[in-house]
Amino acid sequence: MSSEAPATAPSAATAGGGAGTGTGRSSRGGRGGGGGIRRRGQQRQGARNFTSNGDKRVRSDHGAAGRGGSGGRGRGGRSDKKNTRTSQRSIQQYTSDFLSMHSQCQAARYKVHAPGCSCSKMKAARERVAPGQQPFGPSKNQDVAVTKPTLDGLVVLPDTKNIQSVYLCLDTSYHAFQSNPEDAERKLYDELFSGNESADDDGQPYKVSCAQCLLTDKPNGFVCVSSPSAQTVEFARDLARKRIRYKKAEQIALHSDHSEHVVVVPREVLWKYETAKTRDQSNKAEYALRDGLSKQGVEHAVGEEAHRCEIELGHHLVSLLHITKNDVDKDLAYWLVMLQWTGTKYQVDLPGGKRHLGESSWEGATRECEEECSLQIDPSWVHGEPRKSSRKADMSNLYYLLRPPADLMLESLESNPFWHEKGFCKE
């Protein structure tokens, strides 16, 4: 049998193959709507599609024209179909009645973006609302007329992959937001939760949080009661525990995020537990940590059930450990931390969390501290400047180091029944 000759294409394009001739090895059809592009598997299949014609072997039309007369999946046809499908998708814009938007998209979480936000989701949303319009912001050339920007204001996007609706808060334009961001955020807050009194409590049907663009100037707040004196930090712990007992006695429900325990731990123990490199170092640090927790009433920290209770340091606690690693008194400090039981382990972390719309970083930290460990604080507790990490993943968080004010501690001592007894140490 004679060897096979190289495959040759038909002299003219097939009826539905468009303008491409499909010659040579690739046999590609025309890009504008012509024959399809065969992948490697299809090329091999086409190469095997020969029919005997005397001494010559001629490839069948199926092999020459890709996927048949329609041109199959040619480049032009595929991209045109994708563009058509994208252009047909519309995005619905709401400017009032957020609950209607929520009932339509049924998202569990929403993100609020600042006016002029240039993240990928906001760019895609603007393009679908007004295709081809340029992104907006302060105009550098005052002589150039700037068209009215798209989605100029605080924008709420569903935290989902496919966004079909957006919410625009009117009267919160770029310039209005720059002049008074707190008022703009409070206006949006009222619109989001009006008519839904439980929306910001435990029974909320959806959660709303700030996107990164809103956290640049006002980050989320976290607090850490810290002092070289263990008694000072224990005083704050006892205040929190007293408040917890009061809530239970008055049948006041604790917040769903409330911690299981509020304890005092030396920072040095936490640091060694975080940075242990050998098994011996890890065992020693874990023993010291478990022993301290057990002495403060934490169940299963030691004993026969200890192996079932894993201890994990939370992200924000680890961040502050690294932020303060060069502090002069780092090895002398005692920290107030909270323990959350996850069902299989205790997570040790700092009180704090995401700020609400219209809140400052301190206001958010104060609220979260009361919700998570029942400790009520005020600005007189702040000791030194707030700390912030240089790591990109943690730049949206601000850490406040706290210390109970002296007058509050003195007031507590004066309420002690032994205060007026002779011989009671008052130093």
Side-chain angles (χ1 to χ4, degrees), residues 48-96:
R48 291 193 298 267
N49 257 348
F50 288 97
T51 57
S52 298
N53 185 7
D55 294 334
K56 296 182 180 180
R57 292 177 176 266
V58 180
R59 187 165 48 188
S60 66
D61 289 344
H62 178 76
R67 289 203 170 193
S70 62
R73 297 169 63 184
R75 285 184 181 175
R78 182 169 54 206
S79 60
D80 288 346
K81 184 177 181 181
K82 181 178 179 180
N83 292 337
T84 303
R85 188 165 58 245
T86 303
S87 62
Q88 288 176 349
R89 286 191 300 228
S90 61
I91 188 168
Q92 188 170 0
Q93 178 178 327
Y94 291 81
T95 57
S96 63

Side-chain angles (χ1 to χ4, degrees), residues 80-260:
D80 288 346
K81 184 177 181 181
K82 181 178 179 180
N83 292 337
T84 303
R85 188 165 58 245
T86 303
S87 62
Q88 288 176 349
R89 286 191 300 228
S90 61
I91 188 168
Q92 188 170 0
Q93 178 178 327
Y94 291 81
T95 57
S96 63
D97 194 7
F98 178 78
L99 289 178
S100 296
M101 170 179 159
H102 173 66
S103 62
Q104 185 264 335
C105 64
Q106 290 296 315
R109 298 178 182 273
Y110 296 88
K111 288 283 188 181
V112 181
H113 295 257
C117 175
S118 58
C119 72
S120 58
K121 284 193 173 183
M122 280 300 300
K123 287 181 178 178
R126 288 196 187 96
E127 180 63 26
R128 289 170 62 186
V129 170
Q133 191 168 101
Q134 297 295 323
F136 68 94
S139 177
K140 296 181 180 180
N141 189 350
Q142 301 297 332
D143 297 331
V144 177
V146 181
T147 59
K148 182 178 178 60
T150 306
L151 299 179
D152 185 11
L154 289 170
V155 177
V156 184
L157 295 181
D159 196 8
T160 56
K161 184 176 181 180
N162 297 319
I163 297 176
Q164 300 298 330
S165 56
V166 300
Y167 185 89
L168 173 65
C169 183
L170 301 178
D171 301 325
T172 60
S173 63
Y174 180 88
H175 296 291
F177 180 80
Q178 293 297 319
S179 61
N180 198 332
E182 291 80 9
D183 285 352
E185 288 188 13
R186 280 192 288 267
K187 182 180 185 300
L188 176 59
Y189 181 90
D190 293 339
E191 294 182 9
L192 295 182
F193 299 114
S194 62
N196 186 13
E197 300 300 331
S198 64
D200 201 32
D201 299 325
D202 293 353
Q204 58 185 358
Y206 49 82
K207 290 185 177 294
V208 180
S209 59
C210 299
Q212 183 64 40
C213 52
L214 283 179
L215 299 176
T216 303
D217 297 327
K218 292 195 299 180
N220 297 318
F222 296 83
V223 299
C224 176
V225 179
S226 173
S227 174
S229 170
Q231 290 76 15
T232 300
V233 185
E234 288 171 354
F235 172 76
R237 177 201 63 190
D238 294 341
L239 285 179
R241 291 182 173 181
K242 182 179 178 180
R243 178 70 177 170
I244 294 172
R245 290 193 297 268
Y246 168 78
K247 288 182 177 181
K248 291 181 178 180
E250 297 295 325
Q251 297 183 348
I252 301 174
L254 298 177
H255 195 272
S256 60
D257 294 333
H258 200 282
S259 59
E260 297 289 333

Side-chain angles (χ1 to χ4, degrees), residues 224 226 327 362 379-388 398-403:
C224 176
S226 173
D327 289 6
W362 170 253
S380 64
W381 286 60
V382 178
H383 184 74
E385 293 295 323
R387 311 292 290 271
K388 198 171 184 179
L398 195 65
Y399 298 89
Y400 295 91
L401 295 178
L402 309 181
R403 191 169 296 178

Side-chain angles (χ1 to χ4, degrees), residues 145-421:
V146 181
T147 59
K148 182 178 178 60
T150 306
L151 299 179
D152 185 11
L154 289 170
V155 177
V156 184
L157 295 181
D159 196 8
T160 56
K161 184 176 181 180
N162 297 319
I163 297 176
Q164 300 298 330
S165 56
V166 300
Y167 185 89
L168 173 65
C169 183
L170 301 178
D171 301 325
T172 60
S173 63
Y174 180 88
H175 296 291
F177 180 80
Q178 293 297 319
S179 61
N180 198 332
E182 291 80 9
D183 285 352
E185 288 188 13
R186 280 192 288 267
K187 182 180 185 300
L188 176 59
Y189 181 90
D190 293 339
E191 294 182 9
L192 295 182
F193 299 114
S194 62
N196 186 13
E197 300 300 331
S198 64
D200 201 32
D201 299 325
D202 293 353
Q204 58 185 358
Y206 49 82
K207 290 185 177 294
V208 180
S209 59
C210 299
Q212 183 64 40
C213 52
L214 283 179
L215 299 176
T216 303
D217 297 327
K218 292 195 299 180
N220 297 318
F222 296 83
V223 299
C224 176
V225 179
S226 173
S227 174
S229 170
Q231 290 76 15
T232 300
V233 185
E234 288 171 354
F235 172 76
R237 177 201 63 190
D238 294 341
L239 285 179
R241 291 182 173 181
K242 182 179 178 180
R243 178 70 177 170
I244 294 172
R245 290 193 297 268
Y246 168 78
K247 288 182 177 181
K248 291 181 178 180
E250 297 295 325
Q251 297 183 348
I252 301 174
L254 298 177
H255 195 272
S256 60
D257 294 333
H258 200 282
S259 59
E260 297 289 333
H261 299 278
V262 182
V263 296
V264 179
V265 182
R267 182 200 173 278
E268 184 180 16
V269 172
L270 295 170
W271 177 254
K272 288 181 178 179
Y273 189 77
E274 162 64 15
T275 59
K277 296 182 179 180
T278 65
R279 179 174 297 181
D280 183 59
Q281 292 175 346
S282 178
N283 290 338
K284 288 181 178 179
E286 183 177 358
Y287 175 81
L289 180 57
R290 288 182 179 273
D291 184 60
L293 297 180
S294 177
K295 291 178 180 179
Q296 297 179 72
V298 179
E299 299 176 353
H300 309 313
V302 296
E304 297 179 356
E305 300 294 328
H307 67 281
R308 299 182 181 179
C309 175
E310 182 184 352
I311 297 178
E312 178 185 73
L313 302 187
H315 167 75
H316 303 103
L317 177 62
V318 172
S319 294
L320 189 59
L321 284 172
H322 287 274
I323 291 173
T324 58
K325 66 181 180 181
N326 295 322
D327 289 6
V328 176
D329 61 345
K330 62 181 183 299
D331 294 331
L332 304 175
Y334 292 83
W335 283 7
L336 182 73
V337 297
M338 63 179 189
L339 271 66
Q340 295 276 15
W341 177 249
T342 64
T344 57
K345 60 186 175 183
Y346 277 118
Q347 185 175 69
V348 187
D349 213 341
L350 299 173
K354 298 178 180 179
R355 71 173 183 86
H356 290 170
L357 290 171
E359 282 185 334
S360 65
S361 301
W362 170 253
E363 290 171 343
T366 302
R367 174 185 50 77
E368 289 281 349
C369 185
E370 204 285 328
E371 290 177 355
E372 294 181 339
C373 59
S374 296
L375 180 62
Q376 296 177 317
I377 57 178
D378 59 58
S380 64
W381 286 60
V382 178
H383 184 74
E385 293 295 323
R387 311 292 290 271
K388 198 171 184 179
S389 175
S390 59
R391 297 189 305 169
K392 185 177 181 180
D394 199 45
M395 293 185 66
S396 59
N397 300 320
L398 195 65
Y399 298 89
Y400 295 91
L401 295 178
L402 309 181
R403 191 169 296 178
D407 56 347
L408 183 62
M409 298 183 66
L410 181 60
E411 180 183 346
S412 176
L413 286 173
E414 289 176 345
S415 64
N416 191 305
F418 297 101
W419 176 258
H420 299 287
E421 293 291 331

